[in-house]
Protein backbone atom coordinates (compact mmCIF):
# COMPACT_ATOMS: atom_id res chain seq x y z
CA UNK A 1 0.00 0.00 0.00
CA UNK A 2 1.25 3.50 -0.82
CA UNK A 3 2.15 5.65 2.22
CA UNK A 4 -0.66 8.12 1.48
CA UNK A 5 -3.25 5.33 1.18
CA UNK A 6 -2.05 3.79 4.43
CA UNK A 7 -2.33 7.14 6.21
CA UNK A 8 -5.82 7.70 4.85
CA UNK A 9 -6.94 4.26 5.92
CA UNK A 10 -5.53 4.89 9.43
CA UNK A 11 -7.25 8.30 9.57
CA UNK A 12 -10.57 6.67 8.63
CA UNK A 13 -10.18 3.94 11.27
CA UNK A 14 -9.41 6.47 14.01
CA UNK A 15 -12.24 8.78 12.95
CA UNK A 16 -14.85 6.02 12.83
CA UNK A 17 -13.76 4.74 16.24
CA UNK A 18 -14.21 8.25 17.72
CA UNK A 19 -17.73 8.49 16.32
CA UNK A 20 -18.66 5.44 18.45
CA UNK A 21 -18.34 7.76 21.49
CA UNK A 22 -21.21 9.96 20.25
CA UNK A 23 -24.52 9.31 21.96
CA UNK A 24 -28.10 10.50 21.54
CA UNK A 25 -28.72 14.00 22.86
CA UNK A 26 -25.07 15.08 22.93
CA UNK A 27 -23.62 18.32 21.65
CA UNK A 28 -20.49 17.47 19.71
CA UNK A 29 -17.64 19.73 18.65
CA UNK A 30 -16.33 18.97 15.20
CA UNK A 31 -12.76 19.89 14.27
CA UNK A 32 -11.30 20.47 10.84
CA UNK A 33 -9.18 18.56 8.37
CA UNK A 34 -8.83 15.41 6.33
CA UNK A 35 -9.15 13.07 9.34
CA UNK A 36 -12.23 14.86 10.63
CA UNK A 37 -13.67 14.47 7.12
CA UNK A 38 -14.08 10.74 7.80
CA UNK A 39 -15.70 11.47 11.18
CA UNK A 40 -18.23 13.80 9.58
CA UNK A 41 -19.09 11.20 6.93
CA UNK A 42 -19.62 8.56 9.64
CA UNK A 43 -21.65 10.96 11.79
CA UNK A 44 -23.82 11.63 8.72
CA UNK A 45 -24.43 7.89 8.37
CA UNK A 46 -25.39 7.67 12.03
CA UNK A 47 -27.84 10.56 11.59
CA UNK A 48 -29.45 8.58 8.76
CA UNK A 49 -29.79 5.65 11.17
CA UNK A 50 -31.60 7.83 13.72
CA UNK A 51 -28.87 9.29 15.98
CA UNK A 52 -29.91 12.70 17.30
CA UNK A 53 -27.25 15.20 18.32
CA UNK A 54 -26.24 18.81 17.70
CA UNK A 55 -22.82 19.90 16.57
CA UNK A 56 -20.62 22.98 16.89
CA UNK A 57 -18.30 23.48 13.94
CA UNK A 58 -14.75 24.86 14.02
CA UNK A 59 -14.49 26.13 10.43
CA UNK A 60 -16.38 27.08 7.31
CA UNK A 61 -15.17 23.94 5.54
CA UNK A 62 -16.41 21.71 8.36
CA UNK A 63 -19.76 23.54 8.47
CA UNK A 64 -20.32 22.97 4.74
CA UNK A 65 -19.49 19.29 4.95
CA UNK A 66 -21.52 18.77 8.13
CA UNK A 67 -24.63 20.43 6.73
CA UNK A 68 -24.38 18.44 3.49
CA UNK A 69 -24.08 15.27 5.59
CA UNK A 70 -27.34 16.05 7.42
CA UNK A 71 -25.77 17.09 10.74
CA UNK A 72 -27.62 19.70 12.77
CA UNK A 73 -25.30 22.62 13.55
CA UNK A 74 -25.69 25.09 16.37
CA UNK A 75 -23.49 28.05 17.21
CA UNK A 76 -21.07 28.03 20.12
CA UNK A 77 -23.26 30.69 21.70
CA UNK A 78 -26.29 28.40 21.50
CA UNK A 79 -24.48 25.40 22.94
CA UNK A 80 -25.21 25.05 26.64
CA UNK A 81 -22.30 22.62 26.89
CA UNK A 82 -20.20 20.62 24.46
CA UNK A 83 -20.07 17.03 25.66
CA UNK A 84 -17.46 15.77 23.27
CA UNK A 85 -15.11 17.34 20.74
CA UNK A 86 -13.57 15.30 17.93
CA UNK A 87 -10.58 16.80 16.15
CA UNK A 88 -7.42 15.88 14.29
CA UNK A 89 -3.86 16.94 15.11
CA UNK A 90 -0.59 17.40 13.27
CA UNK A 91 1.56 15.95 16.04
CA UNK A 92 0.74 14.38 19.41
CA UNK A 93 3.18 13.36 22.12
CA UNK A 94 2.84 10.91 25.02
CA UNK A 95 1.88 13.70 27.42
CA UNK A 96 -1.27 14.45 25.42
CA UNK A 97 0.24 17.68 24.09
CA UNK A 98 0.19 18.45 20.42
CA UNK A 99 0.50 20.78 17.48
CA UNK A 100 -2.57 21.75 15.48
CA UNK A 101 -3.36 24.28 12.80
CA UNK A 102 -1.99 22.59 9.70
CA UNK A 103 -5.39 23.37 8.18
CA UNK A 104 -5.38 26.89 9.61
CA UNK A 105 -8.39 26.47 11.93
CA UNK A 106 -6.43 26.49 15.19
CA UNK A 107 -8.15 29.48 16.80
CA UNK A 108 -11.72 28.22 16.54
CA UNK A 109 -10.49 24.69 17.22
CA UNK A 110 -8.85 25.79 20.47
CA UNK A 111 -11.90 27.76 21.58
CA UNK A 112 -14.21 24.81 20.91
CA UNK A 113 -11.77 22.38 22.54
CA UNK A 114 -11.52 24.51 25.69
CA UNK A 115 -15.34 24.70 25.78
CA UNK A 116 -15.70 20.90 25.65
CA UNK A 117 -16.04 18.44 28.50
CA UNK A 118 -14.00 15.82 26.63
CA UNK A 119 -11.56 16.08 23.73
CA UNK A 120 -10.77 13.19 21.42
CA UNK A 121 -7.95 13.48 18.90
CA UNK A 122 -7.96 11.27 15.87
CA UNK A 123 -4.65 10.72 14.12
CA UNK A 124 -2.78 8.35 11.86
CA UNK A 125 0.29 6.66 13.30
CA UNK A 126 2.78 9.02 11.61
CA UNK A 127 1.62 11.79 13.95
CA UNK A 128 2.63 10.09 17.20
CA UNK A 129 5.93 11.74 18.12
CA UNK A 130 8.49 11.54 20.92
CA UNK A 131 9.08 15.27 20.79
CA UNK A 132 6.96 18.03 19.27
CA UNK A 133 8.34 20.44 16.71
CA UNK A 134 9.17 18.66 13.50
CA UNK A 135 5.83 19.84 12.14
CA UNK A 136 6.05 23.63 11.66
CA UNK A 137 4.21 25.36 14.50
CA UNK A 138 1.35 27.52 13.18
CA UNK A 139 0.85 30.87 14.87
CA UNK A 140 -2.17 33.01 14.00
CA UNK A 141 -1.38 36.74 13.82
CA UNK A 142 -3.44 39.76 12.89
CA UNK A 143 -2.49 41.16 9.48
CA UNK A 144 -1.80 44.67 10.86
CA UNK A 145 1.87 44.81 11.74
CA UNK A 146 2.49 41.14 11.02
CA UNK A 147 5.97 41.89 9.63
CA UNK A 148 7.06 43.13 13.04
CA UNK A 149 5.99 39.81 14.56
CA UNK A 150 7.71 37.96 11.71
CA UNK A 151 10.94 39.86 12.42
CA UNK A 152 10.73 39.10 16.13
CA UNK A 153 10.38 35.40 15.31
CA UNK A 154 13.40 35.68 12.98
CA UNK A 155 15.45 37.21 15.78
CA UNK A 156 14.36 34.39 18.07
CA UNK A 157 15.64 31.90 15.43
CA UNK A 158 12.16 30.44 15.01
CA UNK A 159 12.50 30.48 11.19
CA UNK A 160 9.02 31.88 10.48
CA UNK A 161 7.30 31.53 7.14
CA UNK A 162 4.17 33.41 6.15
CA UNK A 163 1.63 30.83 5.01
CA UNK A 164 0.66 31.23 1.37
CA UNK A 165 -2.06 29.39 -0.52
CA UNK A 166 -2.60 29.61 -4.29
CA UNK A 167 0.00 32.42 -4.45
CA UNK A 168 -1.98 34.51 -1.96
CA UNK A 169 -1.46 35.09 1.75
CA UNK A 170 -3.49 32.40 3.51
CA UNK A 171 -6.40 33.88 5.46
CA UNK A 172 -7.99 32.15 8.43
CA UNK A 173 -11.76 32.16 8.95
CA UNK A 174 -11.16 35.20 11.17
CA UNK A 175 -9.28 37.01 8.41
CA UNK A 176 -5.88 36.58 10.05
CA UNK A 177 -2.51 35.35 8.74
CA UNK A 178 -0.57 32.28 9.79
CA UNK A 179 3.16 32.26 10.47
CA UNK A 180 4.59 28.73 10.45
CA UNK A 181 7.61 28.38 12.74
CA UNK A 182 10.25 25.86 11.68
CA UNK A 183 11.49 24.86 15.12
CA UNK A 184 12.48 21.22 14.48
CA UNK A 185 12.14 20.44 18.21
CA UNK A 186 10.27 21.96 21.11
CA UNK A 187 11.82 21.39 24.53
CA UNK A 188 9.22 23.08 26.72
CA UNK A 189 5.90 23.53 24.92
CA UNK A 190 4.20 25.32 27.79
CA UNK A 191 6.91 27.98 28.12
CA UNK A 192 7.12 28.43 24.37
CA UNK A 193 3.36 28.93 24.15
CA UNK A 194 3.50 31.64 26.84
CA UNK A 195 6.53 33.30 25.24
CA UNK A 196 4.86 33.53 21.83
CA UNK A 197 1.56 34.75 23.21
CA UNK A 198 3.31 37.67 24.94
CA UNK A 199 4.05 39.20 21.53
CA UNK A 200 1.54 41.87 20.55
CA UNK A 201 -0.23 40.90 17.34
CA UNK A 202 -0.21 37.17 18.08
CA UNK A 203 -3.75 35.82 18.31
CA UNK A 204 -3.13 32.15 19.14
CA UNK A 205 -0.60 29.38 18.75
CA UNK A 206 -1.07 25.86 17.48
CA UNK A 207 0.31 24.40 20.70
CA UNK A 208 -2.49 22.46 22.39
CA UNK A 209 -1.24 21.72 25.86
CA UNK A 210 -3.11 19.47 28.22
CA UNK A 211 -6.29 19.70 26.14
CA UNK A 212 -6.69 16.20 24.67
CA UNK A 213 -8.27 13.58 26.94
CA UNK A 214 -8.25 10.67 24.51
CA UNK A 215 -5.99 10.04 21.52
CA UNK A 216 -7.18 7.50 18.99
CA UNK A 217 -4.46 6.43 16.59
CA UNK A 218 -5.12 4.40 13.48
CA UNK A 219 -2.31 1.88 13.17
CA UNK A 220 -2.27 -0.48 10.21
CA UNK A 221 -5.65 -2.21 10.40
CA UNK A 222 -6.64 -1.33 13.94
CA UNK A 223 -6.87 1.52 16.43
CA UNK A 224 -5.01 2.28 19.62
CA UNK A 225 -6.89 4.30 22.25
CA UNK A 226 -4.90 6.26 24.82
CA UNK A 227 -6.86 7.84 27.66
CA UNK A 228 -5.42 10.43 30.01
CA UNK A 229 -5.51 9.29 33.61
C1 LIG B 1 -6.63 22.12 11.29
C2 LIG B 1 -6.02 21.12 12.19
C3 LIG B 1 -6.10 19.68 11.79
O1 LIG B 1 -6.75 18.98 12.78
C4 LIG B 1 -4.72 19.15 11.61
O2 LIG B 1 -4.04 20.00 10.70
C5 LIG B 1 -4.74 17.72 11.09
O3 LIG B 1 -5.26 17.72 9.82
P1 LIG B 1 -5.45 16.40 8.96
O4 LIG B 1 -6.46 15.57 9.66
O5 LIG B 1 -5.90 16.92 7.62
O6 LIG B 1 -4.10 15.72 8.87
O7 LIG B 1 -5.47 21.41 13.22
O8 LIG B 1 -6.41 23.41 11.76
Amino acid sequence: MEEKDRQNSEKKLAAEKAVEFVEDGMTVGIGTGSTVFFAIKKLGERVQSGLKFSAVSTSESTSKLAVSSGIRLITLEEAVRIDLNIDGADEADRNFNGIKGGGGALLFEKIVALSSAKNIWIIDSSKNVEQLGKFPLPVEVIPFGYKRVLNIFKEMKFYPELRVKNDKKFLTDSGNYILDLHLEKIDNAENLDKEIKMITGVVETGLFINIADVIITGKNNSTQILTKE
Side-chain angles (χ1 to χ4, degrees), residues 161-193:
E161 191 182 4
L162 176 68
R163 192 178 294 184
V164 171
K165 194 175 175 187
N166 302 327
D167 293 328
K168 291 199 181 109
K169 293 186 185 95
F170 175 85
L171 283 183
T172 68
D173 284 352
S174 306
N176 292 321
Y177 295 161
I178 300 271
L179 301 178
D180 290 300
L181 307 184
H182 295 264
L183 302 166
E184 288 304 323
K185 66 187 179 76
I186 296 172
D187 290 322
N188 187 328
E190 209 170 330
N191 281 354
L192 179 67
D193 189 48

Side-chain angles (χ1 to χ4, degrees), residues 11 31-37 87-91 99-107 109 122-124 127 135 138 163 208:
K11 285 178 182 191
T32 299
S34 58
T35 315
V36 167
F37 167 88
D87 203 350
D90 299 300
E91 280 184 353
I99 290 182
K100 288 183 46 54
L106 63 109
L107 177 61
E109 287 175 335
I122 46 179
I123 56 172
D124 69 75
K127 293 172 170 180
F135 190 91
R163 192 178 294 184
F208 280 52

